[in-house]
């Protein structure tokens, strides 16, 4: 057999008249061409802006938008803004983290129910999860403002059972802001969780119970570990937007519940202090990146996408 | 077993399902308020609560002209952003699933990053770019559109890519084996099978664009979109027509989803 | 179809081979060579099986014939026309895919009509109905593939390919996804259809029973090369390599030393007993003193009480002890431990004329010389034994 392979060069096995041979090079280039427009868009309007943000955060703060800024490599911007705004920054992480945990608890119950308990209503329940979120974010948040108002039904009920004092309120408290965050970002938690749980073979859980696990043990030894990829992507997809959000803090909270988003927004649009706003944005981004990396490492699920 | 015990057992078995249903009810509470308030006739502009029933909001949705112009601007931006993002994103998804080339990892990362960045950071960096490039005075329709296409793109890529990756490679080979040229294979087999994914991506893009506030607000200049209008009136007193818009959005999205599901079932039934 | 691709000097070729002709076909992937300089002739109208374990290159070969894989070198000719580099849609070849690859968005009718529509056939409706009748699915035309059972989907895949009257129909493990019972009935069904339509079928499988049931000719492939080719009975009775001996059915391979040719036989020393093998069943140079393998199929081995006369002159081997007995019903399978430590498999028909032997009993074994075969000692005696059932 090897002899005939050696003979190949004498009688060319791949003669020039092979017009249709798929050219591997051309195929490779097609990939680049398909990718090019979208990648250019992302490069120009996502990557380069990030670079401008870094630059902006190092400008001389004494300039203004109208007169222009000077590049001063002012790393002190970071210290000064951190000094001024560390409270909202910490508060954002705290609110975002707590909201994410509550979302995880609620979302897990819901995702589990849809995946395993809904039977033929699975599709309908999934639609019901997503449907409310096609109504404007702001309009929904305004509804919560109405629901949580001081003489509203919820506050009255809580006062009646003495969970709130007679002059207690929900609006303009951390409770309202966190509740708003939970509500608004819940689908970001439910959908990845559902995708993960739905993939779990139900027979594995039966096998666990066959092997002497009570349901609760079976859950923690089988279901939960297998759903971890969904838990990881769900918590990230919830935490990241929740930390950066300022709509809930603005509509449901008071200045005491200002989050970092409120600060950045007002530094840009009201105070026109671009360097400070840029520095805060950068810090938020780096903080989130660091936390995400740490979290993904610990959770051990590298195949996030 | 007594009826009480039996009920206790039933509840125990369906605890998770009931929990799930409760969460769904919770998700619908504000929607209920939105629908209710769309029929509200408020006594005072400043106090936001249900006073008495009226159809006026539905009959005259454009009492505040600025709301309707913001709404139409949002729809225009949403449609344009959807078209561009869907086309570019679908091409990218095809490249990422169907072609092997160096730099795929970088491309995947670049697609992933916008989804992992807080909106406030993306919005502020875009603003920084526009200002640095000297467009600080021209913020408006076009800068909003650019931003929306940017953040919709990743979601389109991810949605279409998932659909494409789930596609059996053999199907296209079978088509070629059955005398379909590359172009015919794409038109007759690939496209029909990927289309639901593309449609889903387009719907997602539109709703993301239509609903965005944080990035838009930073890059809008004096232009007002619908969410920005709501933001503005939240301080001054909300016209009840806002709830009409919210209700319509909800109904339209439900209609699309239910329509798609019915269509699927009808096809299946007709074939059974 | 594609006149352009036809080389001018080929058109005048009078003695063109009618059928599929493959010459020194090679396919190299980045890390290994899937097919090594393969030569193959499949006569027109035959049912041909490529049999081998997963990863032996049989599917790659099939895909190259279909045009779904590009060869590294070599040529593929169909009725004298070179189709090596033709696109899949330019060759008169159709494939039944392993998992059928039915278009989920088209109904059964449109799946079957797909190829005809691409070629702008005028008689789509009549042909589709005829074809669906042939595979007995005329009542299912408007269903979609997921609504059909596995066996029905299989028949749609077959109809979809057959309707184009290809010069060669390729079947890639077409029955792999079906359960055993359905598989058996589909084997007969496909064989019936092949006889009816008279087309060339090339069938890839790892299931030796399937290959033997259906094919006129089997090529046994291993590690990218064809080990042996021939009619099923020929391959089974006279395997040329240890791989074929083990992969196609089972064989006892006993180490022997060659004593030399003697008339029409080669005499070997089998662990102290002299045995003779017919020359045409000797697949090794009979060099005196060299080692070799004597192969004998379990059902050809005769078993008897010690000292009893066995109807097989010259090859009787004493000293066996029954180490295991499995009563199957139609036959009994014995394992007999020989004095040199090897366990020999023996299948005996339960004709009822003899009693069963018990474990631990002393026995003699023997066989007719014309059933044994002699193989190269350099080959691995366990090659092909470990049959992996997973399709490639």
């Amino acid at each position: 057999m090897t002899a005939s392979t050696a003979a190949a060069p004498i009688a060319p096995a791949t003669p020039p008249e092979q017009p249709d041979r798929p050219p591997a090079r051309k195929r490779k280039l097609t990939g680049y061409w398909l990718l090019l427009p979208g990648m250019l868009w992302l490069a120009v309007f996502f990557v380069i802006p990030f670079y401008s943000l870094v630059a902006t955060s190092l400008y001389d703060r004494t300039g203004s938008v109208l007169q222009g800024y000077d590049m001063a490599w002012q790393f002190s911007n970071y210290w000064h803004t951190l000094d001024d705004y560390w409270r909202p920054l910490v508060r954002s992480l705290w609110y975002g983290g707590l909201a994410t945990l509550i979302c995880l608890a609620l979302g897990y119950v819901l995702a589990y129910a849809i995946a395993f308990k809904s039977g033929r209503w699975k599709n309908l329940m999934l639609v019901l999860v997503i449907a409310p979120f096609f109504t404007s974010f702001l309009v929904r948040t305004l509804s919560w403002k109405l629901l949580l108002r001081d003489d509203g039904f919820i506050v009255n009920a809580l006062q009646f059972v003495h969970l709130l004092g007679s002059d207690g309120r929900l609006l303009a408290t951390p409770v309202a802001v966190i509740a708003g965050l939970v509500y608004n970002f819940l689908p970001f938690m439910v959908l990845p969780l559902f995708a993960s749980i739905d993939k779990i073979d139900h027979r594995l859980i039966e096998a666990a119970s066959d092997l002497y696990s009570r349901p609760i043990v079976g859950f923690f030894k089988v279901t939960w570990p297998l759903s971890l990829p969904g838990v990881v992507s769900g918590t990230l997809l919830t935490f990241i937007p929740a930390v950066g959000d300022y709509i809930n803090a603005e509509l449901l909270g008071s200045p005491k519940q200002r989050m970092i988003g409120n600060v950045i927004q007002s530094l840009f649009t009201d105070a026109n202090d671009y360097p400070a706003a840029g520095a805060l944005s950068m810090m938020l981004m780096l903080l989130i990146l660091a936390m995400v990396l740490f979290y993904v490492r610990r959770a051990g699920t590298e195949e996030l996408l | 077993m007594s009826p009480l015990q039996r009920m206790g057992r039933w509840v125990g078995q369906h605890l998770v399902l009931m929990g799930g249903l409760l969460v769904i009810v919770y998700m619908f509470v504000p929607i209920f308020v939105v629908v209710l308030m769309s029929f509200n006739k408020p006594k005072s502009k400043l106090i936001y609560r249900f006073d008495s029933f009226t159809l006026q909001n539905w009959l005259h949705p454009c009492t505040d002209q600025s709301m309707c112009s913001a709404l139409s601007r949002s729809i225009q931006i949403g449609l344009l952003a959807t078209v561009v993002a869907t086309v570019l994103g679908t091409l990218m998804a095809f490249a990422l699933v169907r072609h092997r080339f160096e730099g795929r990892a970088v491309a995947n990362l670049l697609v992933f990053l916008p989804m992992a960045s807080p909106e406030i950071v993306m919005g502020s960096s875009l603003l920084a770019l526009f200002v640095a490039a000297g467009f600080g005075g021209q913020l408006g329709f076009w800068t909003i559109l650019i931003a929306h296409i940017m953040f919709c793109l990743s979601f389109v890529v991810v949605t279409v890519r998932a659909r494409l990756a789930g596609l059996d490679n053999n199907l296209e080979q079978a088509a070629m084996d059955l005398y379909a040229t590359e172009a015919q294979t794409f038109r007759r087999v690939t496209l029909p099978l990927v289309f639901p994914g593309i449609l889903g991506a387009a719907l997602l893009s539109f709703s993301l664009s239509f609903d965005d506030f944080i990035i838009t607000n930073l890059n809008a200049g004096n232009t007002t979109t619908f969410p920005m209008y709501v933001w503005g009136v939240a301080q001054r007193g909300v016209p009840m027509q806002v709830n009409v818009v919210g209700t319509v959005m909800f109904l339209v999205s439900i209609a699309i989803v239910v329509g798609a599901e019915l269509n699927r079932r009808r096809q299946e039934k007709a074939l059974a | 179809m594609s006149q352009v691709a036809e080389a001018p000097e080929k058109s005048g070729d009078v003695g063109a081979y009618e059928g599929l002709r493959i010459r020194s076909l090679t396919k190299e992937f980045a890390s290994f060579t899937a097919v090594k300089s393969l030569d193959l002739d499949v006569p027109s109208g035959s049912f041909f099986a490529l049999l081998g374990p997963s990863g032996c290159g049989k599917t790659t070969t099939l895909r190259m014939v279909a045009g779904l894989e590009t060869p590294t070198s070599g040529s593929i000719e169909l009725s004298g026309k070179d189709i090596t580099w033709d696109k899949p849609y330019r060759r008169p070849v159709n494939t039944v895919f392993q998992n059928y690859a039915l278009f989920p968005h088209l109904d059964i009718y449109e799946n079957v009509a797909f190829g005809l529509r691409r070629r702008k056939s005028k008689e789509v409706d009549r042909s589709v109905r005829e074809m669906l009748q042939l595979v007995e699915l005329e009542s299912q035309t408007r269903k979609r593939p997921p609504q059909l059972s596995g066996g029905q989907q299989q028949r749609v895949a077959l109809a979809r390919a057959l309707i184009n009257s290809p010069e060669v129909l390729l079947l890639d493990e077409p029955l792999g996804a079906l359960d055993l019972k359905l598989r058996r009935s589909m084997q007969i069904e496909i064989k019936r259809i092949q006889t009816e339509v008279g087309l060339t079928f090339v069938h890839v499988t790892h299931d030796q029973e399937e290959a033997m049931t259906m094919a006129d000719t089997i090529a046994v492939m291993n590690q990218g090369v064809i080990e042996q080719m021939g009619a099923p009975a020929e391959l089974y009775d006279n395997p040329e390599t240890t791989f074929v001996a083990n992969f196609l059915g089972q064989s006892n391979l006993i180490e022997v030393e060659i004593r030399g040719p003697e008339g029409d036989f080669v005499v070997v020393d089998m662990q102290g007993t002299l045995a003779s093998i017919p020359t045409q069943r000797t697949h090794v140079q009979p060099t005196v003193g060299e080692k070799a393998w004597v192969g004998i199929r379990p059902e050809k081995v005769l078993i008897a009480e010690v000292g009893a006369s066995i109807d097989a002159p010259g090859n009787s081997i004493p000293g066996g002890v029954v180490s295991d007995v499995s009563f199957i019903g139609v036959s009994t399978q014995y394992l007999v431990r020989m004095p040199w430590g090897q366990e020999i498999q023996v299948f005996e028909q339960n004709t009822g004329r003899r009693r069963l032997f018990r474990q631990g009993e002393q026995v003699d074994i023997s066989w007719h010389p014309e059933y044994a075969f002699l193989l190269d000692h350099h080959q691995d005696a366990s090659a092909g034994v470990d049959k992996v059932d997973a399709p490639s």
Side-chain angles (χ1 to χ4, degrees):
Chain A
M1 287 291 176
T2 38
S4 53
T5 322
I10 302 161
T14 53
E17 73 269 4
Q18 33 162 299
D20 283 343
R21 186 164 193 188
R25 276 270 290 295
K26 200 178 121 203
R27 239 185 105 71
K28 211 170 183 180
L29 279 181
T30 316
Y32 285 123
W33 282 115
L34 291 174
L35 210 53
L36 189 69
M39 289 305 267
L40 265 181
W41 200 283
L42 286 180
V44 175
F45 300 116
F46 179 74
V47 179
I48 296 179
F50 206 70
Y51 171 78
S52 321
L53 184 70
V54 176
T56 306
S57 72
L58 297 172
Y59 286 156
D60 184 355
R61 270 176 94 179
T62 53
S64 77
V65 192
L66 294 177
Q67 278 127 43
Y69 287 102
D70 295 324
M71 175 46 92
W73 299 103
Q74 269 196 9
F75 286 96
S76 60
N77 285 350
Y78 282 74
W79 301 124
H80 289 139
T81 45
L82 192 61
D83 200 33
D84 290 344
Y85 302 112
W86 66 270
R87 275 170 200 282
L89 190 59
V90 171
R91 191 182 293 131
S92 294
L93 296 175
W94 159 235
Y95 285 5
L98 193 59
T100 304
L101 276 183
I102 300 172
C103 276
L104 180 60
L106 293 180
Y108 208 102
V109 172
L110 182 51
Y112 190 94
I114 299 175
F116 285 156
K117 306 282 178 187
S118 59
R120 58 205 197 86
W121 302 105
K122 197 185 262 186
N123 276 346
L124 178 73
M125 278 181 83
L126 266 182
V127 169
L128 289 182
V129 169
I130 307 164
F133 295 86
F134 282 102
T135 299
S136 169
F137 188 106
L138 283 148
V139 175
R140 272 180 287 132
T141 311
L142 280 180
S143 304
W144 276 113
K145 190 171 179 175
L146 178 67
L147 283 162
L148 300 177
R149 73 178 193 275
D150 290 344
D151 56 346
F153 160 75
I154 294 175
V155 167
N156 284 340
L158 289 176
Q159 282 169 344
F160 182 75
V161 297
H162 294 286
L163 275 171
L164 273 179
S166 55
D167 57 345
R169 57 190 308 224
L170 286 174
L171 277 187
T173 66
V175 176
V177 178
I178 293 170
L181 290 173
V182 168
Y183 178 77
N184 279 312
F185 298 111
L186 192 52
F188 293 86
M189 181 65 87
V190 177
L191 294 179
L193 274 179
F194 168 77
S196 246
I197 298 175
D198 196 41
K199 265 192 237 149
I200 299 176
D201 186 345
H202 206 87
R203 285 170 300 182
L204 294 177
I205 298 162
E206 290 171 359
S209 77
D210 179 56
L211 297 168
Y212 316 109
S213 309
R214 282 178 299 120
I216 190 78
V217 178
F219 175 80
F220 281 110
K221 294 283 177 200
V222 177
T223 315
W224 174 260
L226 287 174
S227 65
L228 269 185
V231 174
V232 173
S233 49
T235 42
L236 289 180
L237 285 177
T238 312
F239 181 73
I240 295 169
V243 171
D245 178 75
Y246 61 84
I247 298 172
N248 289 285
E250 180 80 26
L251 294 182
L252 304 174
S254 68
K256 277 192 203 152
Q257 282 84 40
R258 257 157 69 99
M259 289 173 67
I260 196 68
N262 304 65
V263 177
I264 297 173
Q265 157 76 19
S266 69
L267 281 176
F268 267 121
T269 50
D270 306 331
N272 265 327
D273 189 347
Y274 279 42
L280 266 184
S281 265
M282 279 302 299
M283 279 189 279
L284 177 63
M285 186 70 202
L286 292 177
L287 211 61
I288 284 180
L289 263 181
M291 291 178 76
V292 165
L293 281 180
F294 176 76
Y295 179 73
V296 172
R297 274 268 168 86
R298 283 296 296 275
T301 354
E302 296 283 347
E303 76 288 2
L304 260 183
L305 277 181
Chain B
M1 207 168 11
S2 76
L4 204 68
Q5 273 175 317
R6 206 174 297 157
M7 209 175 85
R9 231 194 140 88
W10 189 88
V11 169
Q13 275 167 355
H14 294 79
L15 205 59
V16 179
L17 187 59
M18 310 246 276
L21 288 174
L22 274 180
V23 177
I24 286 189
V25 169
Y26 161 69
M27 292 172 121
F28 271 85
V29 167
I31 305 302
F32 175 72
V33 173
V34 170
V35 177
L36 185 72
M37 294 303 276
S38 73
F39 296 104
N40 180 32
K41 186 180 175 192
K43 276 194 195 122
S44 139
K45 247 192 133 182
L46 292 173
I47 303 168
Y48 193 59
R49 67 162 179 232
F50 194 83
D51 289 311
S52 57
F53 179 84
T54 179
L55 281 175
Q56 287 308 306
N57 307 322
W58 282 88
L59 296 174
H60 308 286
C62 284
T63 312
D64 185 352
Q65 257 308 318
S66 59
M67 182 190 92
C68 282
S69 67
L71 187 61
S72 90
R73 192 168 297 114
S74 271
I75 292 174
Q76 283 170 32
I77 292 173
L79 289 177
L80 277 174
T82 299
V83 170
V84 178
T86 306
V87 171
L88 297 189
T90 302
L91 294 181
M92 287 172 82
F94 267 93
L96 289 173
V97 177
R98 287 305 165 84
H99 295 267
R100 300 272 160 260
F101 48 85
E102 278 124 71
R104 275 168 50 87
V106 177
N108 275 320
L109 183 71
L110 197 50
V111 168
F112 171 70
L113 275 178
M115 294 188 294
S117 308
E119 283 192 69
I120 185 80
V121 176
M122 278 195 283
S124 51
S125 48
L126 252 183
L127 176 61
L129 172 77
F130 288 139
V131 170
F135 291 107
Q138 281 126 323
L139 294 178
F141 187 90
W142 296 106
T143 50
I144 298 174
L145 183 62
I146 284 171
H148 284 201
I149 292 170
M150 186 268 290
F151 67 71
C152 288
L153 205 48
S154 296
F155 287 93
V156 174
V157 175
V158 170
T159 314
V160 178
R161 185 172 59 185
R163 180 86 195 176
L164 254 182
L167 197 68
D168 183 0
N169 241 339
N170 278 330
L171 293 176
E172 282 159 314
Q173 297 189 342
M176 301 258 272
D177 185 60
L178 294 166
Y179 311 104
T181 59
E182 284 91 348
Q184 287 173 326
T185 302
F186 182 78
R187 211 175 82 72
R188 302 269 172 196
V189 176
T190 317
L191 201 58
L193 289 171
V194 182
F195 189 70
I198 298 177
L199 193 67
L203 286 174
L204 184 65
S205 286
F206 184 81
S207 73
L208 283 173
S209 160
F210 189 87
D211 208 21
D212 181 74
F213 174 72
I214 296 181
I215 296 179
T216 312
N217 193 31
L218 282 166
N219 292 286
N222 294 323
T223 310
T224 310
T225 63
F226 180 71
M228 289 172 69
Y229 170 82
V230 177
W231 178 260
V233 294
Q235 264 81 16
R236 300 181 259 122
V238 183
M240 290 305 128
Q241 282 84 352
V242 163
N243 293 302
V244 172
V245 176
T247 309
V248 170
M249 282 165 71
F250 177 71
L251 292 178
V252 167
S253 63
I254 288 278
I256 289 175
V257 178
V258 170
E261 179 71 12
L262 282 182
N263 191 38
R264 197 177 64 80
R265 292 213 176 157
R266 191 175 51 83
Q267 275 185 356
E268 257 172 27
K269 235 188 198 138
L271 299 168
Chain C
M1 254 190 331
S2 61
Q3 317 85 316
V4 198
E6 197 158 342
E9 71 269 16
K10 285 271 166 65
S11 49
D13 202 342
V14 191
Y17 179 71
E18 282 299 316
L20 177 67
R21 169 164 278 179
I22 294 174
R23 284 293 172 267
S24 46
L25 191 67
T26 299
K27 176 69 184 179
E28 286 163 8
F29 290 107
S31 55
F32 73 108
T33 305
V35 178
K36 290 174 200 152
S37 193
L38 186 92
D39 291 331
L40 197 64
D41 285 327
V42 179
S44 184
S46 67
F47 200 129
F48 191 93
L50 268 176
L51 173 68
S54 43
C56 73
K58 56 189 193 302
T59 295
T60 309
T61 306
L62 193 82
R63 289 170 59 81
M64 286 193 282
V65 175
L68 302 171
E69 207 85 66
T70 322
T72 310
S73 63
S75 70
I76 302 167
E77 277 179 29
L78 203 50
S79 308
K81 195 165 92 58
D82 187 343
I83 58 162
T84 318
W85 311 109
D86 283 358
K87 296 265 185 176
Y89 47 84
R90 298 236 181 275
R91 28 180 116 191
V93 168
N94 291 108
T95 309
V96 177
F97 286 80
Q98 191 172 351
N99 294 314
Y100 319 137
L102 299 178
F103 304 122
H105 60 300
L106 301 178
D107 61 27
I108 301 313
Y109 184 96
E110 286 303 324
N111 261 285
V112 175
F114 194 93
L116 293 182
R117 293 209 194 282
R118 298 291 82 69
R119 294 195 299 173
K120 312 255 180 301
S121 165
K122 296 272 183 305
E123 307 223 290
V124 176
D125 193 60
R126 196 177 54 80
S127 311
V128 172
R129 294 203 181 281
E130 273 176 21
M131 189 48 69
L132 286 172
Q133 210 156 6
L134 180 71
V135 297
E136 293 161 4
L137 280 173
E138 59 268 50
S139 59
Q140 316 281 342
T141 50
R142 289 302 166 195
K143 283 193 179 169
R144 297 219 178 181
Q147 295 171 298
L148 300 187
S149 70
Q152 289 174 324
Q153 291 187 23
Q154 213 291 321
R155 294 213 291 271
V156 176
L158 192 63
R160 186 179 72 172
L162 266 182
I163 195 169
N164 305 293
S165 314
E167 283 186 42
V168 177
L169 184 82
L170 306 173
L171 302 110
D172 183 6
E173 301 269 5
L175 308 176
L178 304 180
D179 63 47
L180 191 68
K181 219 172 147 192
L182 199 52
R183 202 147 70 208
R184 294 286 170 252
S185 73
M186 281 307 295
Q187 285 169 5
I188 296 162
E189 178 84 1
I190 292 178
K191 182 73 192 163
R192 171 184 74 83
I193 290 172
Q194 195 265 339
T195 321
E196 213 160 298
V197 297
L199 299 173
T200 313
F201 277 34
V202 177
H203 177 204
V204 153
T205 181
H206 68 281
D207 179 342
Q208 42 113 358
E209 266 187 72
E210 187 173 305
M212 292 209 274
T213 313
M214 297 165 82
D216 319 323
T217 312
I218 298 178
V220 180
M221 257 188 110
N222 185 31
Q223 296 182 342
V225 299
I226 290 179
E227 295 246 346
Q228 193 179 350
M229 199 166 101
E234 195 183 315
L235 289 189
Y236 185 81
D237 287 339
N238 190 6
E240 291 172 6
T241 65
T242 57
F243 179 83
V244 177
N246 289 322
F247 191 76
L248 216 63
Q250 286 164 295
S251 294
N252 295 300
L253 295 178
I254 304 163
E255 194 176 61
V256 297
E257 199 182 294
I258 297 172
R259 283 294 168 83
E262 198 171 281
D264 284 344
F265 289 87
V266 173
V267 176
V268 298
D269 177 349
M270 185 166 66
Q271 314 285 340
T273 309
L274 287 186
S276 36
I277 321 289
T279 313
Q280 72 269 22
R281 300 172 69 84
T282 301
H283 306 294
V284 61
Q285 277 298 324
T287 317
V288 179
E290 284 287 306
K291 293 232 160 91
W293 299 111
V294 155
I296 184 76
R297 297 286 186 186
E299 73 279 10
K300 305 289 195 317
V301 182
L302 306 172
I303 184 166
E305 283 164 44
V306 178
S309 73
I310 305 177
D311 174 32
N315 280 336
S316 184
I317 314 152
V321 177
V322 176
S323 59
D324 190 71
V325 183
S326 311
F327 179 76
I328 309 284
V330 290
S331 66
T332 307
Q333 304 189 357
Y334 295 104
L335 279 181
V336 179
R337 185 171 293 279
M338 300 312 290
W340 60 91
Q342 189 177 3
E343 282 189 322
I344 300 288
Q345 288 199 55
V346 183
F347 296 170
E348 193 181 42
Q349 286 290 321
N350 286 329
T351 53
R353 286 202 305 221
R354 268 217 324 223
R355 70 175 179 88
L356 294 182
F357 294 97
R358 287 182 311 276
Q359 197 179 337
E361 214 170 324
Q362 296 268 343
V363 291
D364 289 350
I365 59 167
S366 181
W367 58 78
H368 291 268
E370 62 268 33
Y371 291 139
F373 42 88
L374 195 65
L375 304 176
D376 191 342
H377 192 259
H378 295 102
Q379 293 171 355
D380 181 3
S382 64
V385 169
D386 218 359
K387 273 184 272 180
V388 186
D389 251 2
S392 53

